[in-house]
């Protein structure tokens, strides 16, 4: 008994001492964690539950002149399929209907999706991509599809969201709206308006210390150093979506018709320099067109005959010619040091006036004017062009503007051919935007404006580059010359003459690659409309059309100009006349051929008329109109007369 | 030592005049409950704000997407192609603006 008691005590001591040792161990560990290594563990805990977040601001939107969105930041989704979590039974049951639904939604063959899903199941893929970058509306459709509507675990649907810069116009004006990103050197790079106004659109990062709470959410903590993110500013551009659509599709149709390499269209508001539409399309190896580069801004090329305007202005300003001065175009050929200047018309135009030189776009005529006028002092010609500002860039907000080239006798490579070549647009180099700005200055009574893309508070503030490029006399003469090109028989662009409004402009058919066996052409038309009261200037440049289909500026480029001009004309309401209300009623009644006589309270001929047309007319005649039923067509009517008013009850079909 | 024992045994809650202590205990208890409730309520609100922010961004995206669709639908090139089969073409004459006195 005693032995048992002793044994029990030994065991008790043994267990107790183990417990004491364990207790001491735990105590030491607590001490260690709390004090010896406390700092380290507190730091780890803090890092896991408290973080300093950099909050990126929302990038500003880009709007068109009527408030339509050109660029906005939205959330898009990537959709994946977890083939492991879906049971074989469900997979086999819904694979066909799911593939069909995906096929209808994404316009791809059923077999494409079916095979892809089967492969994912076979390989037990947990993250099989279905579609990327879809909008919320498409995602909502996906969520309703067979199998996927069962959710994440049963249906295997995985959704990942990400910020996405949305461009609602898609491929239209893609290069002008542009993009911006940060490169590996942490420098912002990009093109178009997105990059040009990046400073405004970006906003400023904010920072906030947050503590992790339940549900994976983070709670902001008070911190004196916290900084609110400053959202980017929205910008309103001068681009008009409707006009952009017309410009894009008119250019596209023409490029496709003539299988051209690339082309561009720019529409500018005459009085402000606001760019209303700009389209640049380049051809891919498959013959499709997309906005490859901003040719209108960046591509400096020999302008050809459109430069005759600048040459003619110089000649008029320096009193070398007047518009009625007779010029001998010889037989359509002029020779300079073995090189020949030829007219497009074989045999030339004979003796014609300077105005006709411009109207027929005679190469020999303009070269004759310039060489005779400036051969002794070519510096004067170049200086005249320089004074008009042609050698300066427009300093556009969009990056990558092409540098203009206007040769000068002081240049090292100036030679005997430079002057005659310059006269008809060779040896010089301008971008379409620079050429357009100059033509716009003619339309704008000599005031050269900088092309602008930004609409500040709905008011376009024009930027004047040169208040007067030439004298008023020269201006009126050159305007008449430009009008004759389109509106007079024999003018190079007579084919685009409009009966509704006057166009003034100049065609250009410039040779490129002329030092090779395969000479190509640049077809151009640039001008303004309506010629008597200019509202818009426009340039159309089409590079390297298929020569067998046509290459002259009036055939390839001018029709695009006319289409845009017609559209702008047709959407601008014309102020017809002022009239009195009673005359208006009379006129509209006559038009509708309604026989309504007030005196006899007699109404005839209402059957089949539109109720909404008839109602105001009857009311104007003093009838109290009641109608029954719905619809627009009048089936029947009857007049109820009482002492005070005349009542018409109309039944509608 | 005696005092500590008394506190451990909770004598201050049953001895004469303990009502005062009970009042304090009740006050501390209510304060603790309010603190816990308030802390949970803040967490809930943060979760709600997070969800609402997410909803706002989804609705904004939906708005942009719908606006894009409307913009595309009303573009002349689209309207023209849709109405082409019906023989309807775009107009060439401008609307007449009449000022009525």
């Amino acid at each position: 008994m005693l032995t048992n008691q002793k044994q029990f005590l030994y065991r008790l001591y043994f267990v107790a001492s183990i417990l004491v040792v364990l207790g001491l161990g735990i105590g030491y560990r607590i001490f260690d964690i709390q004090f010896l290594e406390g700092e380290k563990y507190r730091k780890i805990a803090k890092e896991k539950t408290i973080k300093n977040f950099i909050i990126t601001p929302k990038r500003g939107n880009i709007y068109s002149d009527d408030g339509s969105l050109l660029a906005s930041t939205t959330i898009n989704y990537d959709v994946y399929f977890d083939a492991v979590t879906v049971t074989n039974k469900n997979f086999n049951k819904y694979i066909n209907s799911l593939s069909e639904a995906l096929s209808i939604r994404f316009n791809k063959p059923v077999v494409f999706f079916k095979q892809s899903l089967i492969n994912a199941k076979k390989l037990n893929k947990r993250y099989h991509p279905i579609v990327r970058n879809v909008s919320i509306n498409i995602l909502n459709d996906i969520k309703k599809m067979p199998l996927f509507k069962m959710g994440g675990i049963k249906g295997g649907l995985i959704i990942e969201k990400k910020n996405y810069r949305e461009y609602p116009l898609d491929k239209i004006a893609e290069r002008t709206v542009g993009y911006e990103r940060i490169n590996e050197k942490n420098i912002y790079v990009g093109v178009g308006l997105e990059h040009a106004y990046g400073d405004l659109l970006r906003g400023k990062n904010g920072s906030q210390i947050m503590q992790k709470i339940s549900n994976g959410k983070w709670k902001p903590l008070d911190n004196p150093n916290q900084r609110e993110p400053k959202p980017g500013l929205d910008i309103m551009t001068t681009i008009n979506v409707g006009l952009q659509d017309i410009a894009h599709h008119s250019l596209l149709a023409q490029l496709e018709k003539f299988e051209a390499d690339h082309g561009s269209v720019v529409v500018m508001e005459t009085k402000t320099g606001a760019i209303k539409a700009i389209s640049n399309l380049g051809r891919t190896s498959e013959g499709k067109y997309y906005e490859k580069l901003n040719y209108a801004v960046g591509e400096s090329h020999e302008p050809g005959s459109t430069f005759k305007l600048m040459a003619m202005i110089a000649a008029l300003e320096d009193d070398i010619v007047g518009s009625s001065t007779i010029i001998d175009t010889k037989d359509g050929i002029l020779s300079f040091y073995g090189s020949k200047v030829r007219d497009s018309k074989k045999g030339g135009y004979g003796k014609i006036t300077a105005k006709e030189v411009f109207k027929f776009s005679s190469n020999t005529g303009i070269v004759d004017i310039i060489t005779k006028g400036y051969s002794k002092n070519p510096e004067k010609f170049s200086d005249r062009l320089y004074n008009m500002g042609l050698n300066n860039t427009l300093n556009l907000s969009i990056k990558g503007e092409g540098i203009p080239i206007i040769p000068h006798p002081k240049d090292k490579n100036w030679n005997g051919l430079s002057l005659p070549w310059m006269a008809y647009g060779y040896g010089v180099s301008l971008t379409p935007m620079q050429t357009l700005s100059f033509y716009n200055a003619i339309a704008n009574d000599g005031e050269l404006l900088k092309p602008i893309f930004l609409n500040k508070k709905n008011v376009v503030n024009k930027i004047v580059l040169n208040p007067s490029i030439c004298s008023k006399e020269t201006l009126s003469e050159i305007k008449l010359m430009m009008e004759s090109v389109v509106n007079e028989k024999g003018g190079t662009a007579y084919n685009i003459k409009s009966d509704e409004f006057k166009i003034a402009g100049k065609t250009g058919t410039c040779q490129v690659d002329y030092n090779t066996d395969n000479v190509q052409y640049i077809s151009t038309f640039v001008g303004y409309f309506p010629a008597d009261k200019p509202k818009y200037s426009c340039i159309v440049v089409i590079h390297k059309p298929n020569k067998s289909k046509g290459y002259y500026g009036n055939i390839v480029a001018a029709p695009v100009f006319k289409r845009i001009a017609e559209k702008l004309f047709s959407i601008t309401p014309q102020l017809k006349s002022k009239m009195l209300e009673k005359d208006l009623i009379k006129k509209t009644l006559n038009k509708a051929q309604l026989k309504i006589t007030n005196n006899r309270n007699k109404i005839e001929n209402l059957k089949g008329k539109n109720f909404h047309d008839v109602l105001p007319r009857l009311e104007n005649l003093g009838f109290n109109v009641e109608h029954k039923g719905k619809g627009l067509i009048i089936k029947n009517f009857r007049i109820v007369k009482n002492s005070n008013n005349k009542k018409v009850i109309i039944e509608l079909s | 030592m005696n005092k500590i024992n008394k506190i451990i045994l909770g004598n201050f809650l049953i001895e004469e005049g303990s009502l005062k202590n009970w009042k304090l205990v009740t006050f501390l208890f209510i304060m603790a409950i309010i603190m816990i409730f308030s802390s949970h309520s803040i967490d809930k609100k943060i979760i709600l704000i997070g969800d609402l922010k997410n909803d706002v961004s989804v609705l904004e995206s939906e708005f942009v997407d719908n606006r894009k669709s409307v913009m595309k639908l009303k573009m002349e090139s689209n309207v023209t192609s849709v109405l082409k089969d019906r023989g309807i073409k775009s107009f060439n004459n401008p609307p007449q603006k009449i000022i009525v006195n």
Side-chain angles (χ1 to χ4, degrees):
Chain A
M1 184 70 187
L2 198 66
T3 322
N4 281 348
Q5 207 172 3
K6 266 187 178 179
Q7 274 179 345
F8 174 74
L9 275 175
Y10 286 146
R11 282 178 194 165
L12 189 67
Y13 291 146
F14 178 71
V15 171
S17 53
I18 287 172
L19 287 174
V20 167
V21 170
L22 274 174
L24 285 173
I26 290 167
Y28 172 75
R29 194 74 186 120
I30 290 169
F31 181 78
D32 180 49
I33 289 170
Q34 276 298 322
F35 301 104
L36 299 181
E37 290 187 273
E39 202 57 41
K40 179 184 145 195
Y41 288 115
R42 267 189 288 276
K43 202 178 163 194
I44 291 170
K46 205 175 172 185
E47 273 171 6
K48 287 203 171 172
T49 54
I50 296 177
K51 264 189 192 174
N52 187 17
F53 281 83
I54 299 294
I55 308 165
T56 48
K58 190 177 182 293
R59 192 176 171 88
N61 294 336
I62 302 179
Y63 293 97
S64 69
D65 67 346
D66 65 343
S68 300
L69 272 175
L70 298 180
S72 182
T73 303
T74 63
I75 295 172
N76 266 16
Y77 302 86
D78 289 343
V79 179
Y80 297 90
F81 175 57
D82 183 350
V84 177
T85 185
V86 178
T87 60
N88 286 339
K89 189 185 159 196
N90 278 340
F91 184 80
N92 294 330
K93 190 176 172 187
Y94 294 114
I95 176 78
N96 287 329
S97 50
L98 175 62
S99 304
E100 272 170 32
L102 285 167
S103 153
I104 293 165
R105 189 68 192 79
F106 297 105
N107 207 17
K108 280 185 181 173
V110 178
V111 68
F112 171 83
F113 287 107
K114 193 175 175 182
Q115 201 54 50
S116 158
L117 291 167
I118 288 170
N119 284 344
K121 187 72 181 162
K122 264 186 196 166
L123 299 168
N124 279 335
K125 284 193 174 177
R126 301 213 70 153
Y127 215 62
H128 180 68
I130 301 293
V131 277
R132 289 182 199 272
N133 251 341
V134 291
S135 68
I136 181 75
N137 287 332
I138 297 175
L139 180 76
N140 288 339
D141 287 349
I142 292 172
K143 280 180 180 173
K144 288 176 199 157
M145 287 180 183
L147 190 66
F148 285 162
K149 68 181 169 192
M150 295 165 91
I153 297 173
K154 280 189 173 178
L157 181 67
I158 302 170
I159 299 162
E160 276 188 6
K161 65 176 186 177
K162 59 185 182 185
N163 280 339
Y164 180 73
R165 193 71 174 160
E166 179 78 72
Y167 299 102
L169 283 179
D170 282 340
K171 298 290 169 196
I172 299 177
E174 193 182 12
R175 203 71 192 178
T176 303
V177 177
Y179 64 84
E180 187 179 66
R181 60 181 172 80
I182 300 180
N183 68 5
E184 60 281 357
K185 289 174 187 165
N186 231 12
I187 296 168
Y188 287 100
V189 289
V191 296
L193 297 168
E194 281 272 31
H195 188 48
Y197 298 106
D199 291 344
L200 298 174
L201 291 164
R202 268 174 236 140
K204 280 188 178 146
N205 284 347
S207 69
Q208 172 73 61
I209 292 181
M210 308 263 249
Q211 184 180 24
K212 197 172 189 178
I213 55 169
S214 58
N215 263 6
K217 303 270 179 194
W218 292 81
K219 176 172 81 174
L221 293 179
D222 261 351
N223 171 27
N225 296 327
Q226 90 176 49
R227 204 174 60 232
E228 286 290 322
K230 200 176 166 194
L233 297 174
D234 294 341
I235 60 167
M236 188 164 249
T237 66
T238 55
I239 302 288
N240 179 281
V241 171
L243 199 54
Q244 183 67 46
D245 178 44
I246 304 289
H248 176 90
H249 285 96
S250 305
L251 177 67
L252 179 64
Q254 206 71 347
L255 289 171
E256 284 175 341
K257 185 178 172 187
F258 288 94
E259 296 166 5
D261 183 68
H262 64 273
S264 47
V265 171
V266 188
V267 182
M268 183 191 253
E269 201 172 58
T270 305
K271 295 284 170 208
T272 58
I275 301 298
K276 306 307 283 182
I278 174 167
S279 186
N280 299 281
L281 296 169
R283 189 181 166 96
T284 62
S285 51
E286 291 92 40
K288 302 272 179 203
Y289 290 91
Y290 79 106
E291 289 244 347
K292 251 181 176 175
L293 294 166
N294 202 333
Y295 303 110
V297 170
E299 190 182 38
S300 188
H301 60 86
E302 288 176 316
S305 295
T306 53
F307 197 77
K308 285 174 186 161
L309 177 95
M310 294 74 163
M312 187 62 87
I313 289 175
L316 289 168
E317 279 291 271
D318 291 331
D319 278 335
I320 288 164
V321 284
S323 57
S324 51
T325 308
I326 300 295
I327 309 294
D328 188 359
T329 61
K330 306 284 185 300
D331 296 326
I333 299 176
L334 281 177
S335 287
F336 295 91
Y337 306 102
S339 293
K340 287 187 170 62
V341 177
R342 293 173 199 274
D343 268 332
S344 58
K345 187 185 172 192
K346 270 194 175 176
Y349 299 94
K351 287 182 181 175
I352 53 174
T353 62
K355 186 184 171 192
E356 284 170 324
V357 166
F358 195 82
K359 179 176 143 187
F360 300 139
S361 195
S362 166
N363 295 335
T364 53
I366 194 77
V367 170
D368 189 59
I369 292 170
I370 298 301
T371 48
K372 279 184 180 162
Y374 294 102
S375 57
K376 287 179 185 163
N377 188 8
E379 209 162 347
K380 194 178 173 189
F381 181 60
S382 293
D383 287 343
R384 172 66 66 188
L385 298 175
Y386 279 29
N387 284 340
M388 292 193 278
L390 279 164
N391 60 324
N392 300 325
T393 59
L394 298 165
N395 203 12
L396 297 173
S397 51
I398 292 181
K399 306 276 185 295
E401 187 186 354
I403 310 290
I405 300 169
I406 306 289
H408 195 278
K410 285 177 183 167
D411 293 345
K412 278 180 187 171
N413 51 359
W414 179 271
N415 58 45
L417 289 175
S418 297
L419 185 65
W421 259 229
M422 275 172 81
Y424 71 124
Y426 289 89
V428 294
S429 187
L430 293 171
T431 65
M433 194 67 92
Q434 288 155 358
T435 305
L436 175 66
S437 301
F438 192 86
Y439 274 73
N440 188 68
I442 305 295
N444 194 29
D445 294 329
E447 195 178 46
L448 181 68
L449 300 176
K450 177 180 172 174
I452 44 175
F453 295 89
L454 209 57
N455 226 342
K456 282 179 190 164
K457 292 177 187 167
N458 282 338
V459 179
V460 180
N461 298 316
K462 65 178 184 182
I463 301 168
V464 181
L465 297 174
N466 187 344
S468 180
I469 55 164
C470 62
S471 65
K472 296 283 173 204
E473 294 74 32
T474 302
L475 211 59
S476 54
E477 278 186 281
I478 204 77
K479 276 183 176 178
L480 288 173
M481 287 186 191
M482 286 174 73
E483 283 179 36
S484 72
V485 170
V486 182
N487 301 300
E488 288 180 16
K489 234 177 181 175
T492 50
Y494 187 66
N495 60 315
I496 63 158
K497 182 180 185 290
S498 168
D499 297 331
E500 305 289 341
F501 57 95
K502 264 187 178 178
I503 295 172
K506 181 75 191 78
T507 54
T509 311
C510 173
Q511 288 188 353
V512 279
D513 305 333
Y514 42 76
N515 293 324
T516 67
D517 293 338
N518 185 22
V519 176
Q520 296 283 338
Y521 293 89
I522 302 172
S523 310
T524 312
F525 188 84
V526 53
Y528 56 85
F529 56 90
D532 40 357
K533 216 176 176 185
K535 281 187 84 177
Y536 297 99
S537 305
C538 175
I539 187 167
V540 182
V541 184
I542 294 179
H543 285 248
K544 301 181 183 176
N546 184 336
K547 284 180 281 181
S548 63
K549 301 201 173 210
Y551 56 87
Y552 283 109
N554 65 327
I555 302 297
V556 181
V560 179
F561 184 101
K562 193 185 181 189
R563 170 86 187 96
I564 293 167
E566 276 178 343
K567 191 66 226 167
L568 274 166
F569 174 74
S570 71
I571 59 170
T572 313
Q574 303 293 304
L575 185 62
K576 208 64 185 171
S577 61
K578 291 184 177 183
M579 56 170 69
L580 295 171
E581 195 171 4
K582 62 179 181 184
D583 296 332
L584 179 69
I585 293 163
K586 203 173 156 189
K587 197 180 171 188
T588 22
L589 281 175
N590 286 342
K591 203 177 171 187
Q593 290 178 332
L594 280 177
K595 290 178 187 169
I596 303 172
T597 44
N598 198 8
N599 295 337
R600 285 180 290 162
N601 290 334
K602 197 178 168 193
I603 308 170
E604 292 167 17
N605 226 11
L606 283 185
K607 268 189 186 176
K609 299 289 176 198
N610 188 323
F611 176 64
H612 293 288
D613 288 342
V614 171
L615 177 68
R617 287 166 204 160
L618 289 171
E619 283 180 342
N620 283 332
L621 287 169
F623 286 102
N624 183 8
V625 183
E626 271 187 20
H627 70 278
K628 291 176 179 175
K630 286 180 178 178
L632 296 175
I633 311 299
I634 296 161
K635 211 165 125 187
N636 207 355
F637 65 92
R638 60 195 168 88
I639 300 173
V640 180
K641 279 185 275 182
N642 59 31
S643 54
N644 294 328
N645 56 21
K646 303 154 284 179
K647 198 173 188 182
V648 185
I649 300 173
I650 294 173
E651 287 177 29
L652 304 173
S653 61
Chain B
M1 198 67 191
N2 215 5
K3 273 186 181 176
I4 294 167
N5 264 345
K6 275 184 178 178
I7 290 168
I8 291 168
L9 291 170
N11 284 352
F12 65 100
L13 296 174
I14 48 171
E15 65 196 15
E16 219 171 292
S18 65
L19 192 65
K20 261 194 316 183
N21 296 337
W22 271 112
K23 277 180 187 172
L24 181 68
V25 168
T26 315
F27 173 72
L28 290 176
F29 176 75
I30 291 168
M31 287 302 282
I33 293 287
I34 289 172
M35 247 180 80
I36 294 163
F37 175 78
S38 144
S39 167
H40 279 276
S41 157
I42 287 168
D43 285 4
K44 255 189 187 175
K45 277 178 186 159
I46 285 161
I47 290 165
L48 183 69
I49 288 167
D51 290 345
L52 287 174
K53 269 186 181 171
N54 188 42
D55 287 352
V56 167
S57 60
V58 166
L59 286 170
E60 272 178 356
S61 303
E62 207 173 325
F63 168 71
V64 170
D65 202 38
N66 290 335
R67 200 166 162 177
K68 177 183 170 180
S69 309
V70 172
M71 203 166 99
K72 282 193 165 177
L73 278 175
K74 71 177 187 182
M75 271 186 176
E76 191 184 309
S77 55
N78 179 59
V79 176
T80 312
S81 68
V82 169
L83 294 177
K84 202 179 169 185
D85 296 338
R86 293 197 205 172
I88 299 172
K89 292 176 184 171
S90 60
F91 49 88
N92 287 326
N93 295 322
Q96 306 279 311
K97 190 174 171 182
I98 302 166
I99 296 179
V100 178
N101 291 326

